[in-house]
Amino acid sequence: MLADIEQIGRNPRTGGYRRDAWSPADMQLREWFTHQAVTRGLTSHEDRNGNLWAWWGDPAADGPGLVTGSHLDSVREGGAFDGPLGVASAFQAIDLLRGDGFRPDRPIAVACFTDEEGARFGVPCIGSRLLTGVLDPSRARGLADDEGLCLDEVLRGQGRDPGGLGRDDETLAHIGVFVELHVEQGRALQAPVGVASAIWPHGRWRFDFRGTADHAGTTALEDRDDPMLAYARAVLAARLQAETHGVRATFGKVRVEPGNANAIPSLVTAWLDARGPETAAVRRLVEELSHGVEVTEESWTPEVVFDDVLRLRVACAAGFDGHPAPILPTAAGHDAGILASAGVPTAMLFVRNPTGVSHAPGEFAEPADCVSGVVALAAVLADLTGGGA
Ligand SMILES: [Zn+2]
């Protein structure tokens, strides 16, 4: 299934993917999702926030179901597994259960949440944040991409109604439990499959360093008001303070205005991603970096501790040879975290990543481990939907 979509949004020069939400690549992936649903006789639809659903059974008639799945968008120059592995494994797990003649005692769905990475509009997990009401729809409609296009215009351009964005109680009521399978994004997992304990608190902040544009040659050093220097100091300070506070801090995106090689910039806008095991330490780092500069918090996701009863049950079902799957925390954010914070019982399965590389073209999982992931996910679905073969 991953081979079906391996050319979509791929940069042939680097092997990296660019699958921005609502881009032509994303639209092709959405069609692929719907095609996968239809060929399996699943009932597919898009909710009013742009998330895709493929139901085996009818949650409106038979009550809330077990939802699995992930996302299909990518970071820029991302890997092939982050997101699509969870969606493909969800369909494969359903195939496996059906092949065994399994009949679930409640509906099961595959979900694809829209714009999980936030690569285009800056806010991650837009689809699940809108669904659960933690992202204000009018703020979402006004989010602009790098070309200055607002989500509102982008949705209209794709024939969607931006007026429909916002908390969706009807869709939420159909999610009894959510189990997301995802490629592991570090090297912590030694077994083929693991289970998440918690997601670190994390956020994104925009820093605007303002200065005065002037000639790179004729302006004497003492006459300069160069915002690039403040930015450079902030990058180095972020690294030092991350070490001090035991957190992770990254300036991964920067925009320079006007962007002439022979001129002092007037504005440097940079985005800080900070996360760590403790909220207070992350907050302290951002606070310390904020002196004398304009800082806007673009997103904040509190720590998510997954339901411990569900986690143990999932670990037992996903285990091999009588051993429960190992349990580990993650430093990456996920739609599962957003749903868990909204009160949905949620669990995550991770598939081993031998190098730990993620959000880059080198992201990889061995085919045998991906198969173990499908087998584990099918076992979890079977356990939680309690039917019999
Ligand atoms: Zn992901």
Side-chain angles (χ1 to χ4, degrees):
M1 288 180 75
L2 293 181
D4 281 354
I5 56 171
E6 71 184 353
Q7 295 307 325
I8 301 176
R10 185 172 183 270
N11 178 343
R13 195 172 48 79
T14 60
Y17 288 90
R18 183 165 173 166
R19 294 165 167 172
D20 278 14
W22 305 106
S23 66
D26 189 40
M27 299 313 291
Q28 254 182 290
L29 292 164
R30 289 170 165 274
E31 270 175 42
W32 173 82
F33 180 96
T34 304
H35 178 74
Q36 295 304 322
V38 170
T39 55
R40 289 171 172 80
L42 305 174
T43 309
S44 81
H45 81 282
E46 183 178 307
D47 68 26
R48 48 191 174 77
N49 292 303
N51 305 307
L52 299 172
W53 300 86
W55 281 98
W56 175 14
D58 179 3
D62 302 322
L66 195 168
V67 178
T68 180
S70 190
H71 61 96
L72 290 171
D73 67 308
S74 74
V75 295
R76 293 176 176 175
E77 288 295 314
F81 296 84
D82 179 350
L85 182 65
V87 175
S89 298
F91 283 117
Q92 290 285 323
I94 286 180
D95 292 349
L96 209 53
L97 292 177
R98 286 174 160 183
D100 288 345
F102 181 81
R103 286 171 181 278
D105 66 2
R106 76 195 78 164
I108 294 180
V110 181
C112 170
F113 290 99
T114 195
D115 204 351
E116 192 271 349
E117 301 288 3
R120 184 164 186 180
F121 298 102
V123 175
C125 300
I126 288 184
S128 56
R129 283 183 207 269
L130 283 167
L131 168 68
T132 55
V134 293
L135 175 60
D136 177 63
S138 53
R139 185 186 161 213
R141 282 188 284 268
L143 292 169
D145 67 11
D146 290 343
E147 270 82 63
L149 287 172
C150 289
L151 179 58
D152 186 84
E153 302 167 75
V154 168
L155 288 175
R156 284 179 205 283
Q158 295 295 0
R160 268 62 174 187
D161 172 19
L165 297 184
R167 185 176 163 96
D168 181 349
D169 286 310
E170 193 187 342
T171 299
L172 270 175
H174 293 164
I175 314 173
V177 179
F178 180 55
V179 179
E180 179 170 3
L181 177 145
H182 203 280
V183 67
E184 165 60 359
Q185 295 174 282
R187 278 183 285 119
L189 179 60
Q190 308 295 328
V193 178
V195 174
S197 56
I199 297 180
W200 283 4
H202 56 281
R204 291 183 190 182
W205 293 264
R206 190 182 79 235
F207 283 61
D208 290 303
F209 301 92
R210 293 180 195 281
T212 308
D214 213 332
H215 196 286
T218 60
T219 315
L221 293 180
E222 62 269 28
D223 292 339
R224 296 179 182 210
D225 175 16
D226 183 350
M228 192 63 90
L229 298 179
Y231 165 62
R233 277 192 287 271
V235 174
L236 296 173
R239 173 60 190 245
L240 274 177
Q241 285 169 20
E243 285 168 16
T244 307
H245 296 304
V247 303
R248 294 187 187 151
T250 309
F251 279 102
K253 178 176 174 181
V254 59
R255 200 165 61 203
V256 180
E257 286 176 30
N260 295 311
N262 57 358
I264 297 159
S266 58
L267 173 66
V268 176
T269 302
W271 282 262
L272 173 76
D273 175 302
R275 46 184 96 196
E278 281 173 42
T279 299
V282 176
R283 288 289 188 193
R284 214 172 304 128
L285 173 134
V286 176
E287 169 70 36
E288 284 168 7
L289 291 175
S290 298
H291 297 302
V293 54
E294 224 177 288
V295 179
T296 310
E297 182 172 293
E298 292 200 334
S299 70
W300 170 253
T301 310
E303 182 186 23
V304 173
V305 177
F306 291 111
D307 182 301
D308 52 355
V309 176
L310 179 64
R311 179 202 314 157
L312 284 175
R313 188 163 167 184
V314 165
C316 289
F320 287 90
D321 303 328
H323 299 290
I327 292 176
L328 67 164
T330 178
H334 299 283
D335 294 304
I338 305 295
L339 292 179
S341 299
V344 175
T346 302
M348 284 193 79
L349 293 178
F350 293 123
V351 171
R352 174 164 58 189
N353 176 338
T355 61
V357 171
S358 188
H359 284 185
E363 182 180 86
F364 183 69
E366 293 289 352
D369 287 352
C370 295
V371 171
S372 296
V374 171
V375 171
L377 180 60
V380 169
L381 300 186
D383 181 49
L384 295 176
T385 59

